[in-house]
Structure formats: structure tokens, C-alpha cells
Amino acid sequence: MSGVVEIVDSGLAVSVQDRGRTGYRNIGVPVSGALDPVLMAAANALVGNPSEAAVLEVGLSGPSLKALSGTVRVGLSGEMGAQLVNTRGQVLKVAPGRTATLFPGDILRIGGVSHGVGYVALSGGVQVPEQLGSRSTYLRAAIGGVQGRAPKAGDRLQCEAVRGDPWLESRARAPWHHETGPIRVILGPQEDHFTPQAVANFLTRPYAVTRDMDRMGLRLDGEKLAHNEKGAEIVSDGVAPGTIQVPANGQPIVLMADCQTSGGYPKIATVIRADLPRLAHLRPGDELRFVAVSHAEAAEAVREQMRRLADWVSAIQTFRPPGVIDEAALYGANLICGVVRGDEWQLHGVELSHPFGVQHG
């Protein structure tokens, strides 16, 4: 059975995303997809979806969703909560890292993200049409998402209705946290366009995130990185999410999910896959540092991240919200068998002690 939710309020910086659009970068189509695919997988796990199912990514404030048909389960990951307003007028708080179940007429008002991005998963995934193998939104080319754009008030999103017990919610035992410390990078492929001192400064000096940031990239401000005699331009070649370009002004630019597919600035390094999601949680003014690692260390970091995620998912608990009665169990119980009138001792003319200690003589 399908479920339908209506966008009552669109929120800010909300888009439909999945694991991204791969296989088309040769014709200039960016990957797009979730800025934090690990946190997206966590939201999907809460509602029992595959990790790559399409979700709503929230950059600033979340949308308000109203269930129109079917019983819809919603999972929240990231530093954002919500309020569930049911058809009886009750207002219930929904904490981050847990689910809420919407019956037709119920409204879920999702709050702002206190830091970084958050994800809203619907049971069965957000079922907008795929384009080039993905439902991810790429606004600059009007690809994917809801008719190539972000959701707006009045839009209706298809998903799947809850199967089984609608009252059985899920919650994480603890919030998901990424690793801390310097952002790990692999140097190159054009670190030879920089002076040795510039490379050393890149790996030892702090950089601050500027206000010039979006899903395409982050501009950083810090120690100017000097180019050598090879200069600040190259013949355009491929770039990818995580690439760190350095134009003539010497300030690094870290490319993100919606980045272009080629560029003409020297690339001093590339952020490893395991640390790329961490960049999605930076705000203007936040400070970061870089450290170089090997390819082997980068691969092990991804494996460790997947192990941590698997442990997190395995620890998800199911529970019933306070005040919810398990009607199936109630109706399935035999509530009549064994009931007695209480005066059987009189009916049979037998003097017995009353079962509650009252003596009859």
C-alpha cells in the first residue's frame, strides 16, 4: 500500500537526495547526492529502508509534512527534532535519532538543524521519478528532485505505508557522531604546482570556512598557498567531490557533492571519502586543519566507518511510545478463561476461607 505526504511548509535548504548520480560525469553531469551519505543511511535504517533510499536533506530548517493517505513512518537523523500534531490536537515531541508515525491527518513539523545537515527518511523512500538513475536534486540543471526543483508547499510525495504494527517505533541508542580531528587528505595530483613551504603550510595551518559555501563547494580562508613557477592554472582536467583546488589568490576551495566535473586550477589534495561527510557540518567561521594520509590509510578509514555504522544500526531499539496500548496483544489474550463469581463456596455449602482473607463462619 502506498502512502502520501503533503508538504505543508517547505522549510529552508531542503532537497530530495539519494546516493547520487554516477556514470555521467563524462558528459558533464555532477554526482550530487547526500552531502552526508552516512547520516542519510542512519535515517533510512530507522525506518527500515535500504541505505541508499531517497530522503529529504535539510540544510537549515525542516519542512512540515502532513499524511494524506496510508500510515507513514518518518525517521530523523542529525541535530534536529520535530513536533507531531495529531488529529486529536495533541502535540508530541520527536527527538533526533528516532521515528514518528503519521496517520492520515497528522502533521510533523520538523525544526531547524542546529549544526550541519539533517535527513528525513520516509517509509519506502521518497518516490519521486528517477532521472539518469537517481532521484537526487541538482538545482543548477533542474534534474531530479520534485520536477527538478526543491519541494514547495502543496507538493505531494509518494512513499510506502507502514506494514505491520503501526505503533512500533524505532530509536537510536546514541546519536551518530563522525570522527574528530584533522580532515584527512591525499596529496595531489598537482601539489608540484606549489612551493614546498606552501604544502607544509597547507598541512600545518588552520583554515576557516567563509560565507561563500553551498552544495557545490566551500571557500576557505587562511595562510595563502603560493604557487611555484608552474603557475596557478592547468589544462582543465577532472575534479570530484573532495577535490581541493587553489586558484591564484592562494585560498583553497573544497569541492562538494554538486561540484562541476572539470576545472583549471591546480589541485593540492583530495579529501578522503570517510571524512568528506564531515565537511557538510561546517558553518561559516568554523576552523579546520588538514593531514596527509596514504591510500591504504584512506581505504581503512572507510572500512572502519562502515563497521561503526553497522554497529550503530544493529543497536537501534524498537519501543512503544508512552500510553500506547498493544491492541493486537490485548484482543489476542483470553480475558475470560478462569474468571469466577467469588461466591462459589456458598453455592456448594462449603465453609472455606475467603480468597482475600475474610473469614466466613
Side-chain angles (χ1 to χ4, degrees):
M1 179 181 176
S2 64
V4 178
V5 297
E6 180 182 6
I7 304 291
V8 178
D9 184 282
S10 60
L12 294 173
V14 176
S15 62
V16 177
Q17 300 294 340
D18 57 18
R19 63 182 174 183
R21 190 170 284 108
T22 57
Y24 298 95
R25 297 180 70 250
N26 62 315
I27 57 172
V29 180
V31 175
S32 298
L35 289 171
D36 187 341
V38 180
L39 207 54
M40 177 186 76
N44 275 321
L46 288 167
V47 296
N49 290 345
S51 61
E52 69 276 7
V55 298
L56 295 175
E57 181 179 86
V58 179
L60 292 173
S61 64
S64 292
L65 308 175
K66 181 178 182 179
L68 297 184
S69 66
T71 303
V72 178
R73 185 155 288 139
V74 182
L76 304 178
S77 68
E79 297 181 16
M80 65 180 185
Q83 286 186 333
L84 172 61
V85 182
N86 62 31
T87 54
R88 298 185 297 280
Q90 296 173 310
V91 180
L92 308 172
K93 289 185 178 181
V94 182
R98 62 154 287 183
T99 61
T101 302
L102 306 185
F103 295 88
D106 291 349
I107 296 176
L108 187 67
R109 297 171 179 164
I110 301 167
V113 184
S114 61
H115 209 270
V117 294
Y119 293 91
V120 181
L122 305 181
S123 47
V126 180
Q127 297 179 2
V128 295
E130 288 188 356
Q131 286 189 282
L132 301 179
S134 172
R135 296 181 168 91
S136 286
T137 310
Y138 179 53
L139 293 176
R140 286 179 172 82
I143 297 175
V146 182
Q147 301 174 7
R149 55 171 172 78
K152 65 181 182 180
D155 286 340
R156 296 184 174 186
L157 303 178
Q158 299 281 338
C159 56
E160 290 183 4
V162 173
R163 298 176 182 177
D165 188 347
W167 296 108
L168 199 60
E169 304 287 1
S170 299
R171 63 187 170 200
R173 291 196 177 188
W176 170 265
H177 291 296
H178 287 293
E179 292 187 52
T180 58
I183 300 295
R184 292 167 288 187
V185 300
I186 294 176
L187 288 175
Q190 283 108 25
E191 78 271 24
D192 59 345
H193 275 247
F194 301 88
T195 66
Q197 186 60 51
V199 175
N201 289 341
F202 172 73
L203 296 174
T204 57
R205 303 295 177 86
Y207 285 86
V209 178
T210 70
R211 292 188 175 277
D212 193 359
M213 59 178 296
D214 57 15
R215 282 183 49 87
M216 190 172 181
L218 307 174
R219 288 184 181 269
L220 305 179
D221 181 54
E223 186 77 26
K224 182 178 179 179
L225 302 177
H227 299 83
N228 59 24
E229 67 280 359
K230 290 188 176 182
E233 294 186 2
I234 61 172
V235 175
S236 292
D237 64 4
V239 296
T243 292
I244 303 177
Q245 297 181 307
V246 184
N249 67 2
Q251 298 300 333
I253 303 171
V254 186
L255 301 185
M256 301 290 280
D258 282 354
C259 71
Q260 72 275 19
T261 59
S262 63
Y265 297 136
K267 299 175 284 294
I268 194 169
T270 300
V271 177
I272 70 171
R273 177 181 164 188
D275 282 359
L276 191 55
R278 294 171 54 190
L279 300 181
H281 299 276
L282 298 175
R283 296 293 196 200
D286 286 348
E287 192 174 271
L288 69 158
R289 292 174 179 268
F290 298 102
V291 63
V293 298
S294 66
H295 287 84
E297 289 171 319
E300 177 55 31
V302 172
R303 287 192 289 268
E304 176 59 23
Q305 186 177 70
M306 293 299 99
R307 285 192 289 266
R308 290 182 59 229
L309 179 61
D311 290 343
W312 187 92
V313 171
S314 67
I316 290 175
Q317 302 170 316
T318 56
F319 71 102
R320 294 182 183 280
V324 171
I325 298 174
D326 188 346
E327 295 184 0
L330 181 64
Y331 294 147
N334 186 346
L335 302 181
I336 302 301
C337 179
V339 172
V340 296
R341 289 175 50 168
D343 60 353
E344 286 80 3
W345 60 279
Q346 291 179 329
L347 294 176
H348 297 285
V350 178
E351 291 289 334
L352 295 173
S353 295
H354 191 277
F356 298 111
V358 179
Q359 297 296 321
H360 296 268

